[in-house]
Amino acid sequence: MKTLLLTLFSAAAFAGEALSGAVEKQPLNMSAIMMFIIFVGATLGITYWAAKRTKTAKDFYTAGGGITGFQNGMAIAGDYMSAASFLGISALVYAKGYDGLIYSIGFLVGWPIILFMVAEQLRNLGKYTFADVASYRLRQTPIRTLAAFGSILTVVLYLIAQMVGAGKLIQLLFGLDYEVAVILVGVLMILYVTFGGMLATTWVQIIKAFLLLSGATFMAVAVMAHYNFNFETLFSTAVSMKDQSIMAPGKLVSDPISAISLGIALMFGTAGLPHILMRFFTVSDAKEARKSVFYATGFIGYFYILTFIIGFGAIVMVFQNPHYLDVAKQAVDGGAPILGGDNMAAIHLSHAVGGDFFLGFISAVAFATILAVVSGLTLAGASAISHDLYASVIKAGKTDGLMEMKVSKIATVILGIVAIILGIIFEDQNIAFMVGLAFAIAASANFPILFLSMFWSKLTTRGALIGGSLGLLTAAVLVVLGPTVWVDVMGNAEAIFPYKYPALFSVSAAFIGIWFFSITDSSENAQKEIEAFEAQYVRSQTGIGAEGAVEH
Amino acid sequence: MKQEMVDRIKNDPDFLHLVKARSSFAWTLTITMLVIYFGFVLTIAFDPSILGTPLSEGSVTTVGIPVGIAVIVIAFALTGIYVRRANSEFDALTTKIKNKVKGE
């Protein structure tokens, strides 16, 4: 028997809540497998279609810049609605009630800020990766290297968490072996990305987002219909099965420092995730970029309201239901454990409201969700390698798009293989800290450089390099010394750094470092970089001269 | 972009107006969102019982439920407010600036 902390799955991981549950291989689920085969068939068809349209580097990285705001909003929402958000947050609501809502709100509120502060500027300045923007007027080699390093680190940490989660989930849902599941995910993801590039990755994400939203809507409506669409009845039934504590904040946010630090990590971290930032280059202009965020925020917010209802639905329809009770576990631990652990709450609920067929559908959608998310991550990682490291640093910009695209495809295959190997290595490791660390690095290294490069004229290469590295190191060191690694992974009794979320400290370190080492930089080069701000600012505000813009 | 073009645009009253209006609007909305979110989590951190109060005498539903849903809805509404003004007023100004550049 394998033990799984579903905290592994991205979102839930970050709560640091012990969403533990034993995973046992389930019998082969034929209806789920049939539906999954249909999904894979359809997405491979899309990949074939996309491959014929992916001829240039621009096509490969940004789907030719022809994605509409609505489509991109759906794809961004898809990137965010991972299997972790769906299963992890509904499990958190199922287990803790109101805390699940607090947690999901943290993930949403970064989006409006991204819209107000960075979305349009990003579109107006960038080409393929966020490093394009960060290094716009700074020295290419050091800044691109740092940005690429931050991107690859974020992507790999995130990818490991997704691969391990995928293996466990598929084992659970489909009855496949862990290794088979991880290899299957890795191979499909390599196919989508190498052949179909951003176009295929985007459409796979859009289709999955549509399926997930439809399935979750059906579940929430089925639950509410059961209670005549009266929330008070639903809540009072749930409370009668558990207790009143599920209706109030619990232990998720216990002290002010953690509350602020978690908030900063979620907000700035979201605005520093390379696979999310990359999506802003797939639309034609600033107007479509801002529409993308509007739609994405709507879909994500709606999704979190659904998961809240689904979590409560699982309390009333799955909790204490003999059909889903893990009798063997109950005999040992007591209580009312459900088969497969709390993370299966939404899956069991799908069976309770829609029978075997709908269970198969939701299982297939959960698998599709993982595939779509890892594809986006891999593409972002491959772009950092080919566009930032190979084309801009190694070849100093002297390469053609076709060669760059070729390098990107090779990088995709390598990243895919690395992800499979790491997925297998980390199978039984406690990796709950990885997504938290990915967010911390995104918030502390990627975001401060990106943000200040767009808004602060006095930023220099030296400041960005030292401050960004400082943020990255502080985040990594504090995560290792904090409770999630020092205590939970290494088994020490007490953490050296007391807080789970280092963002408040590491983000401050980055901003202060960047500020100090920029203002004290009196080199000739720094002077040139400051002078170049004006031209960058005009372009960032108006889009004049931007990639893909109509005017030239 | 040529330096003379940059100089011309940066002194264009329309550009100055655009930048000023947009940045004050964006900052206002950002601060609104930050105040609401951090107000929400800090309320929980300092006194979780506030959100655990029943909505009315004898009800199971607590104040926290509508408050939590409201934070989600407000976040979405704020993006709508921004997009609406940006798509009309700010885009019109941007087009005007671009046309002036093209017309020369």
Side-chain angles (χ1 to χ4, degrees):
Chain A
M1 196 175 78
K2 280 145 187 158
T3 311
L4 155 68
L5 285 173
L6 214 230
T7 41
L8 316 181
F9 293 143
S10 64
F14 208 6
E17 288 290 309
L19 288 178
S20 55
V23 166
E24 273 173 277
K25 208 170 125 182
Q26 302 292 301
L28 278 176
N29 177 341
M30 283 320 286
S31 68
I33 289 176
M34 284 311 294
M35 268 177 268
F36 180 69
I37 289 172
I38 296 172
F39 175 83
V40 170
T43 49
L44 287 176
I46 287 171
T47 307
Y48 178 73
W49 165 83
K52 287 197 295 188
R53 278 160 187 75
T54 302
K55 295 197 174 70
T56 64
K58 186 176 159 71
D59 295 334
F60 184 79
Y61 291 122
T62 68
I67 303 291
T68 67
F70 180 80
Q71 292 163 349
N72 195 37
M74 194 91 166
I76 290 174
D79 275 330
Y80 224 54
M81 299 184 294
S82 57
S85 316
F86 179 55
L87 301 179
I89 294 180
S90 53
L92 193 58
V93 176
Y94 169 77
K96 308 256 158 90
Y98 193 72
D99 271 1
L101 186 64
I102 301 175
Y103 186 57
S104 54
I105 287 172
F107 276 92
L108 183 71
V109 293
W111 284 103
I113 315 262
I114 290 180
L115 170 64
F116 309 147
M117 291 290 151
V118 301
E120 298 173 37
Q121 284 82 354
L122 204 58
R123 179 66 202 89
N124 284 340
L125 290 174
K127 198 175 167 195
Y128 301 148
T129 64
F130 88 89
D132 290 335
V133 181
S135 67
Y136 192 87
R137 68 191 156 96
L138 304 183
R139 270 168 48 219
Q140 295 292 311
T141 305
I143 299 300
R144 291 249 184 209
T145 310
L146 178 64
F149 188 64
S151 295
I152 295 166
L153 209 55
T154 315
V155 162
V156 168
L157 287 166
Y158 222 106
L159 208 50
I160 295 174
Q162 293 288 329
M163 290 303 270
V164 175
K168 305 262 181 183
L169 183 71
I170 292 162
Q171 189 178 17
L172 195 65
L173 294 178
F174 294 86
L176 294 174
D177 280 332
Y178 179 88
E179 287 78 11
V180 174
V182 167
I183 292 169
L184 188 63
V185 169
V187 169
L188 282 171
M189 146 189 124
I190 290 172
L191 288 177
Y192 293 152
V193 179
T194 42
F195 291 105
M198 184 54 109
L199 190 57
T201 308
T202 302
W203 278 101
V204 168
Q205 198 60 274
I206 291 173
I207 292 171
K208 161 238 143 167
F210 174 75
L211 292 174
L212 183 57
L213 283 171
S214 312
T217 303
F218 176 77
M219 282 163 76
V221 169
V223 168
M224 291 314 295
H226 209 76
Y227 295 92
N228 293 318
F229 296 93
N230 184 334
F231 279 98
E232 176 71 17
T233 324
L234 171 69
F235 292 145
S236 60
T237 316
V239 165
S240 72
M241 302 184 76
K242 290 204 157 181
D243 57 73
Q244 183 66 30
S245 73
I246 56 170
M247 299 304 296
K251 295 204 169 61
L252 181 69
V253 188
S254 43
D255 67 289
I257 299 281
S258 299
I260 292 173
S261 208
L262 175 65
I264 287 177
L266 291 176
M267 259 179 224
F268 296 166
T270 305
L273 291 176
H275 64 296
I276 300 267
L277 293 172
M278 202 176 170
R279 292 225 171 270
F280 289 104
F281 307 123
T282 65
V283 293
S284 59
D285 54 26
K287 186 185 204 122
E288 295 301 316
R290 63 173 95 92
K291 274 157 76 182
S292 323
V293 188
F294 169 70
Y295 290 118
T297 312
F299 288 130
I300 297 167
Y302 173 65
F303 177 72
Y304 287 151
I305 293 174
L306 293 179
T307 52
F308 186 63
I309 298 172
I310 289 170
F312 270 89
I315 295 178
V316 294
M317 297 171 95
V318 173
F319 183 62
Q320 293 188 359
N321 183 335
H323 195 83
Y324 307 111
L325 186 70
D326 190 336
V327 185
K329 193 159 185 273
Q330 189 187 32
V332 183
D333 302 336
I338 51 173
L339 290 165
D342 282 356
N343 297 301
M344 294 297 285
I347 303 286
H348 291 321
L349 182 67
S350 71
H351 183 259
V353 299
D356 284 336
F357 180 79
F358 191 62
L359 170 73
F361 175 78
I362 288 292
S363 303
V365 169
F367 196 165
T369 295
I370 293 171
L371 268 180
V373 172
V374 292
S375 302
L377 283 167
T378 306
L379 180 58
S383 308
I385 294 170
S386 60
H387 184 61
D388 297 330
L389 289 183
Y390 172 78
S392 306
V393 173
I394 298 171
K395 291 280 171 182
K398 292 178 194 70
T399 178
D400 63 294
L402 284 179
M403 190 61 207
E404 193 182 319
M405 189 161 80
K406 205 167 155 191
V407 173
S408 199
K409 291 184 176 188
I410 297 168
T412 303
V413 176
I414 294 171
L415 267 177
I417 294 169
V418 169
I420 292 173
I421 295 170
L422 290 176
I424 292 172
I425 291 176
F426 282 93
E427 181 186 356
D428 292 318
Q429 306 296 315
N430 180 347
I431 54 162
F433 65 92
M434 280 191 184
V435 170
L437 181 57
F439 263 81
I441 290 173
S444 320
N446 305 353
F447 176 75
I449 299 180
L450 181 67
F451 184 78
L452 292 177
S453 77
M454 294 193 293
F455 292 102
W456 192 45
S457 62
K458 297 194 172 60
L459 175 76
T460 71
T461 299
R462 190 180 86 164
L465 192 65
I466 299 178
S469 312
L470 204 62
L472 200 159
L473 279 175
T474 313
V477 169
L478 292 185
V479 166
V480 170
L481 298 181
T484 42
V485 173
W486 198 255
V487 178
D488 297 348
V489 177
M490 295 163 129
N492 294 300
E494 207 162 324
I496 296 173
F497 175 73
Y499 301 106
K500 263 189 234 166
Y501 317 112
L504 177 60
F505 306 94
S506 55
V507 171
S508 307
F511 274 105
I512 293 169
I514 294 175
W515 169 78
F516 182 77
F517 290 101
S518 291
I519 56 158
T520 55
D521 187 353
S522 53
S523 64
E524 206 174 303
N525 197 52
Q527 200 49 42
K528 276 193 209 135
E529 288 167 357
I530 293 168
E531 279 162 15
F533 179 76
E534 258 177 11
Q536 179 195 346
Y537 192 65
V538 167
R539 173 165 158 179
S540 82
Q541 294 293 321
T542 59
I544 294 171
E547 273 297 314
V550 193
E551 293 80 9
H552 280 289
Chain B
M1 220 182 312
K2 297 249 165 54
Q3 188 57 39
E4 53 174 318
M5 189 154 106
V6 173
D7 288 336
R8 203 161 45 207
I9 297 172
K10 87 172 188 212
N11 294 315
D12 182 338
D14 285 322
F15 177 75
L16 294 170
H17 176 61
L18 170 74
V19 169
K20 203 170 158 226
R22 179 160 59 201
S23 95
S24 71
F25 190 49
W27 276 109
T28 309
L29 293 175
T30 300
I31 290 164
T32 309
M33 189 71 249
L34 291 175
V35 167
I36 291 171
Y37 175 67
F38 284 107
F40 176 70
V41 289
L42 287 177
T43 304
I44 295 164
F46 282 111
D47 189 359
S49 67
I50 297 175
L51 293 179
T53 320
L55 260 188
S56 59
E57 191 81 19
S59 78
V60 170
T61 311
T62 51
V63 178
I65 305 287
V67 169
I69 304 292
V71 177
I72 294 180
V73 173
I74 290 170
F76 178 52
L78 289 179
T79 62
I81 292 168
Y82 179 83
V83 168
R84 203 176 146 169
R85 183 160 172 206
N87 281 0
S88 50
E89 189 188 328
F90 300 154
D91 272 356
L93 270 173
T94 310
T95 313
K96 208 169 148 196
I97 298 165
K98 282 181 180 171
N99 285 340
K100 270 189 256 179
V101 173
K102 257 197 305 191
E104 280 158 35

